[in-house]
Amino acid sequence: MNIVSSVVEVRAQVKKWRSQGLSVGLVPTMGYLHEGHRSLILRAVAENDRVVVSDFVNPIQFGPSEDLESYPRDIEADALLCEGAGAHLVFHPAPEDMYAPDFCTYVDMKELTEGLCGRTRPTHFRGVCTVVSKLFHIVAPDRAYFGQKDAQQLAVIRRMVRDLDFDIEIVGCPIVREEDGLAKSSRNTYLNAEERRAAVVLSRAVKLGRSLMENGERKASVVLAAMRELIEGEPLARIDYVEMVDAVSMRPVDEAHGSVLCAMAVYVGKTRLIDNFIFEG
Ligand code: AMP
């Protein structure tokens, strides 16, 4: 397995594979890889002849007061995980390899990016769409793999691929969780022992919301009130949002019909964590 930092090297490698008739999968990540990322890589390895993992903390998807500087990084451990999972190439560019000093072209989506995480993080999805577009152009994969953990991101990428005619299949993968239910996340390392215990409240709210809906409840106000009440019972937790939206348009719904997404962002101490479930009505 190779680790490369330049766009030119990635293109040369992919060109070689293409000339041999091999299919290519891409797993975009910000590194500090865990079992959640590994599940995406394993799926990509199973479905493609060659797999590229991008490992890049993308500065333009962080807001000015967010955790860009402190975001955890460990390329050596990441390389071991990628190799163990069967990836063929890790693309690990420096910010200056991706963004020229006079970089000024962005992919900016409306509507789907305005609610949920987009409300608290108004420039986040512009950064995500821009970097994912660049990765799609650099690697030109047949398939790209994203986690359902970032449900709004997955919906945004699907829409971007449709709207901008990327010839790439987007594969959504289920949320991988810790034993107690907490969704695996690179940001979980920010939690101290007490916060780590409190953080389980997100997945408990997911379980509660899902079971209410499985038992026939369809009113968003009822499901969300129960989830909010549970989270508010945890003194270390502070809700950013808990919402029910249409799973494709990301528009809020009053009642669940078809496929809906129940998503939340909750601060545990200073750490902002997300979790969600999809309910097919
Ligand atoms: P990140 O490095 O946090 O940007 O995540 C890279 C990719 O891994 C995204 O598509 C995430 O949705 C996915 N991912 C992160 N955590 C998990 C998890 N616990 N389960 C499944 N996928 C995940």
Side-chain angles (χ1 to χ4, degrees):
M1 192 194 71
N2 270 338
I3 307 179
V4 301
S5 62
S6 82
V7 172
V8 174
E9 288 170 288
V10 178
R11 286 221 164 103
Q13 179 60 263
V14 173
K15 199 171 166 192
K16 215 179 272 172
W17 291 336
R18 289 292 182 200
S19 72
Q20 297 163 357
L22 301 172
S23 63
V24 178
L26 170 66
V27 183
T29 82
M30 296 211 300
Y32 212 70
L33 304 179
H34 50 66
E35 281 298 315
H37 300 109
R38 190 162 181 274
S39 72
L40 271 54
I41 300 170
L42 291 173
R43 174 95 181 258
V45 167
E47 296 179 352
N48 300 274
D49 299 316
R50 295 290 180 269
V51 169
V52 180
V53 178
S54 63
D55 187 311
F56 177 58
V57 182
N58 174 36
I60 68 167
Q61 71 187 67
F62 288 76
S65 58
E66 293 181 2
D67 56 344
L68 172 61
E69 295 309 321
S70 58
Y71 196 86
R73 293 159 168 91
D74 188 345
I75 186 62
E76 278 84 22
D78 290 353
L80 284 176
L81 185 145
C82 288
E83 185 146 44
H88 302 86
L89 183 69
V90 174
F91 177 40
H92 179 56
E96 54 274 24
D97 296 318
M98 291 293 271
Y99 300 111
D102 54 352
F103 183 90
C104 58
T105 308
Y106 296 88
V107 178
D108 199 4
M109 185 183 296
K110 309 278 177 219
E111 297 192 14
L112 275 75
T113 62
E114 284 159 17
L116 306 180
C117 287
R119 196 162 300 132
T120 330
R121 310 185 73 191
T123 58
H124 173 67
F125 288 110
R126 185 177 84 144
V128 169
C129 287
T130 303
V131 79
V132 171
S133 296
K134 284 170 67 70
L135 292 168
F136 283 179
H137 287 305
I138 293 164
V139 179
D142 299 284
R143 296 174 199 85
Y145 295 79
F146 294 87
Q148 184 61 44
K149 172 170 173 268
D150 299 83
Q152 186 177 18
Q153 168 173 282
L154 177 54
V156 164
I157 298 298
R158 286 192 196 284
R159 179 63 62 90
M160 180 183 83
V161 161
R162 190 206 69 181
D163 285 354
L164 298 184
D165 303 294
F166 283 99
D167 189 12
I168 297 170
E169 182 191 339
I170 302 303
V171 182
C173 303
I175 301 176
V176 175
R177 297 178 178 280
E178 302 285 355
E179 234 164 69
D180 67 356
L182 176 66
K184 298 225 181 208
S185 165
S186 309
R187 288 194 168 98
N188 291 349
T189 54
Y190 296 150
L191 303 169
N192 65 31
E194 208 184 339
E195 291 165 346
R196 173 62 189 81
R197 274 192 294 277
V200 77
V201 78
L202 281 89
S203 60
R204 287 180 55 215
V206 160
K207 250 191 213 160
L208 173 64
R210 188 187 278 128
S211 84
L212 286 171
M213 298 189 76
E214 279 169 0
N215 286 310
E217 185 56 64
R218 292 292 177 272
K219 278 205 183 72
S221 57
V222 174
V223 176
L224 299 177
M227 293 170 69
R228 286 190 186 116
E229 193 186 331
L230 190 151
I231 298 166
E232 282 160 2
E234 169 48 64
L236 293 183
R238 183 170 58 83
I239 292 174
D240 178 4
Y241 68 80
V242 183
E243 282 184 46
M244 190 188 290
V245 298
D246 177 272
V248 175
S249 71
M250 300 286 109
R251 283 198 202 107
V253 297
D254 294 330
E255 288 218 4
H257 300 292
S259 183
V260 293
L261 166 70
C262 261
M264 70 183 81
V266 175
Y267 290 93
V268 178
K270 286 194 173 122
T271 306
R272 186 174 174 281
L273 301 174
I274 56 174
D275 204 340
N276 70 80
F277 67 96
I278 296 240
F279 185 81
E280 310 282 351

